[in-house]
Amino acid sequence: MPNYKKMAKATYEDAALALARLVSIDSVDDPSTKKEGAPFGEGVKKALDYVAALGEQYGFQIDRCDGYCTELSYGDDNGPLIGVYAHADVVPATGEWKSDPFKPVIREGRMWGRGTSDDKGPLIAALYAIKVLKDNGLIRGYKVRLVAGGNEEKGTACLKYYFGTLKKPASDYGFTPDSEFPLIYAEKGTAGLWASRIIDLSPVTKMEGGAASNAVCDKLDVYLPEDKGFAEFLTATQVPFEESGEGAEHKITFLGKSAHGSLPQLGVNAALLAFSALGAYYKIGYLSQLTEYLIDPNGRNFGGYSKSKELGESTFNYGLISYSNKSLKISVDYRYGEEADPKAAIEAFEKATRLTCTPNGEPHKVLLYPKDSKLVTTLMSAYRKATHRYFDKPLAIGGGTYAKSAANCVAFGSAFKNHPGDIHSPNEYIYMDDFYAQIAIYARAIHMLGSLSK
């Protein structure tokens, strides 16, 4: 059996440098710079181009996929095709950071920066895992394909284009290094919605906040006439806020805490803080009622709650909020298990909140992958042999990954237990020891999958 850890160790310095360079690229989706060849904006294009340049340097075959993805491949077309699907785009770097989110630094044994854990670290770890196998003559009788996508955070249009428009073949066995170890066999269904209505929320003239629909709203700007009494009320009730501007530009910024949209209970939603405070002080009954309905992240208060055997409780995240010209609009990220009735839950939401829901992108069905399949048992074996954690079992999660967009695929790592990385939050990081371990684990896993029959 090859010594994967020893082979991976030879790449540590180069891999860490490559990760730092990739993290330094601000690859947030940018509509203002979208063009042919850069469908998600200039920053995402730069990140995908960097991955392509690394692949060219190391002798992989390259396909830039019209700017939607970067594909690196190597191996024998006659054997099984092993697919690895990671992403180079990131969510916006909102909140208070201890250092520049796009100038990565290493301290306390961790690299800090946006995308270190989600998903640039795992992407680079997978790339060097394949390089390790290639350089040691261990890609024989199978082919490996690493796909770096550019739109995972905003709807997976990248893989839809890759498989749908470019007609790329499905892998025989695949994984996405974009979740947790040991392995994810089940993922909640997701429905993205825009909830809206016309309503007068005077004295509020405008509201704008949130960074992404799949992240807890951590900041909401509320424009309204200057009112010392309201500022005193916020201070007395210990609501975090900042005040700025004069006249029509007077603004109260409510401050919450971001978290991943699949775990809204770990964040503090600035919009709900604002709705509650505005409703209480200005006697805006609708906002007070809306707060009561939305305050429970599992949907109990409006009748949208469900609990399933495999995937647990439903969650509702409210990520993007806007209000102007008496038009209120809220993004809803709804996640549910295999026993839920999503249609009934959405209808209950509409009835209680008096908001009208329209789809925000395509829904993703529940994923339940057989735990006794070749793919799952092989990946679990690779993980257990590498870590000696023989009693760890496959997991079910609320998050959604590329596994829903790629056939014969599950999420495999990259976060280890109790090392979450604070993805989608300020001060995201990756433990360098974890990053190095991922290279060896992914090398072992890919090699083992390559030995399977088609």
Side-chain angles (χ1 to χ4, degrees):
M1 179 66 68
N3 189 330
Y4 302 100
K5 186 174 182 180
K6 182 178 179 180
M7 291 187 295
K9 193 171 183 178
T11 71
Y12 286 177
E13 185 175 347
D14 288 342
L17 179 60
L19 175 56
R21 287 176 173 168
L22 185 56
V23 172
S24 71
I25 301 171
D26 180 349
S27 54
V28 175
D29 184 276
D30 181 10
S32 69
T33 59
K34 292 181 181 181
K35 60 184 179 181
E36 186 175 354
F40 312 119
E42 190 60 33
V44 174
K45 182 180 187 302
K46 287 180 180 178
L48 294 177
D49 284 348
Y50 178 70
V51 174
L54 274 180
E56 289 172 341
Q57 178 183 339
Y58 294 139
F60 296 111
Q61 292 180 317
I62 309 298
D63 187 343
R64 295 177 186 267
C65 303
D66 300 332
Y68 282 80
C69 308
T70 289
E71 178 195 79
L72 314 181
S73 60
Y74 186 85
D76 185 353
D77 286 322
N78 295 321
L81 174 60
I82 312 304
V84 182
Y85 306 94
H87 65 92
D89 62 312
V90 296
V91 296
T94 58
E96 298 295 325
W97 288 72
K98 295 178 181 177
S99 56
D100 190 320
F102 297 109
K103 292 183 179 178
V105 295
I106 295 177
R107 62 176 187 270
E108 303 168 355
R110 293 176 260 187
M111 183 183 291
W112 304 77
R114 176 58 86 220
T116 47
S117 284
D118 183 24
D119 187 40
K120 293 179 178 180
L123 167 59
I124 293 297
L127 191 156
Y128 278 86
I130 299 169
K131 180 182 183 299
V132 160
L133 296 174
K134 172 182 171 294
D135 292 351
N136 287 275
L138 296 175
I139 302 179
R140 294 194 299 265
Y142 66 100
K143 186 173 185 176
V144 187
R145 178 179 68 187
L146 172 63
V147 180
N151 184 243
E152 194 274 347
E153 298 290 4
K154 296 197 72 175
T156 67
C158 46
L159 286 196
K160 291 172 186 174
Y161 188 88
Y162 181 81
F163 289 114
T165 302
L166 298 181
K167 305 298 182 185
K168 295 284 187 173
S171 302
D172 294 297
Y173 306 99
F175 64 85
T176 175
D178 191 21
S179 191
E180 305 171 50
F181 282 123
L183 179 144
I184 308 302
Y185 76 95
E187 298 180 10
K188 286 181 180 177
T190 60
L193 307 165
W194 282 114
S196 60
R197 72 170 293 185
I198 300 299
I199 186 169
D200 187 350
L201 299 178
S202 297
V204 177
T205 58
K206 186 170 67 170
M207 291 191 284
E208 195 71 37
S213 59
N214 62 347
V216 173
C217 176
D218 67 336
K219 184 181 293 187
L220 183 73
D221 293 331
V222 178
Y223 295 82
L224 73 171
E226 188 170 357
D227 183 342
K228 291 183 179 180
F230 185 48
E232 291 171 355
F233 170 78
L234 295 177
T235 300
T237 53
Q238 298 183 329
V239 176
F241 76 99
E242 295 173 348
E243 191 172 13
S244 62
E246 297 178 351
E249 294 302 313
H250 176 256
K251 178 176 66 176
I252 299 286
T253 300
F254 290 83
L255 304 173
K257 177 186 175 184
S258 185
H260 195 282
S262 66
L263 299 167
Q265 67 274 17
L266 299 184
V268 177
N269 197 303
L272 297 184
L273 294 178
F275 293 169
S276 178
L278 292 165
Y281 184 82
Y282 290 108
K283 309 302 180 185
I284 307 173
Y286 178 73
L287 288 183
S288 295
Q289 293 171 1
L290 193 59
T291 305
E292 290 180 13
Y293 287 129
L294 305 188
I295 196 68
D296 174 40
N298 303 113
R300 290 181 178 86
N301 295 357
F302 61 81
Y305 177 79
S306 62
K307 186 175 182 180
S308 301
K309 179 180 178 182
E310 297 287 346
L311 285 159
E313 297 179 308
S314 55
T315 60
F316 293 81
N317 178 64
Y318 313 104
L320 300 171
I321 293 86
S322 67
Y323 173 76
S324 63
N325 299 319
K326 298 182 181 180
S327 176
L328 176 64
K329 194 173 183 181
I330 302 171
S331 73
V332 183
D333 182 337
Y334 168 42
R335 305 188 183 220
Y336 55 89
E338 74 281 2
E339 297 173 28
D341 183 344
K343 182 180 179 181
I346 294 168
E347 289 175 350
F349 176 89
E350 289 185 309
K351 182 178 180 180
T353 64
R354 289 172 284 163
L355 293 163
T356 299
C357 291
T358 56
N360 178 19
E362 295 182 17
H364 293 277
K365 295 181 179 180
V366 170
L367 173 69
L368 283 174
Y369 207 92
K371 287 187 278 188
D372 60 354
S373 65
K374 284 184 181 180
L375 175 60
V376 170
T377 56
T378 301
L379 291 176
M380 285 299 301
S381 177
Y383 166 81
R384 287 167 174 159
K385 288 178 180 178
T387 64
H388 306 295
R389 299 178 183 180
Y390 295 105
F391 298 102
D392 286 358
K393 296 180 180 180
L395 305 171
I397 63 166
T401 74
Y402 274 153
K404 288 178 178 172
S405 300
N408 308 319
C409 180
V410 295
F412 182 52
S414 68
F416 291 94
K417 187 177 181 180
N418 299 322
H419 280 193
D422 288 349
I423 66 172
H424 289 207
S425 298
N427 302 302
E428 182 180 350
Y429 64 87
I430 190 169
Y431 284 96
M432 295 309 294
D433 285 348
D434 290 357
F435 172 63
Y436 299 141
Q438 290 163 18
I439 299 173
I441 292 173
Y442 290 143
R444 181 189 294 267
I446 292 166
H447 191 211
M448 291 175 66
L449 290 174
S451 69
L452 301 176
S453 59
K454 280 192 174 185

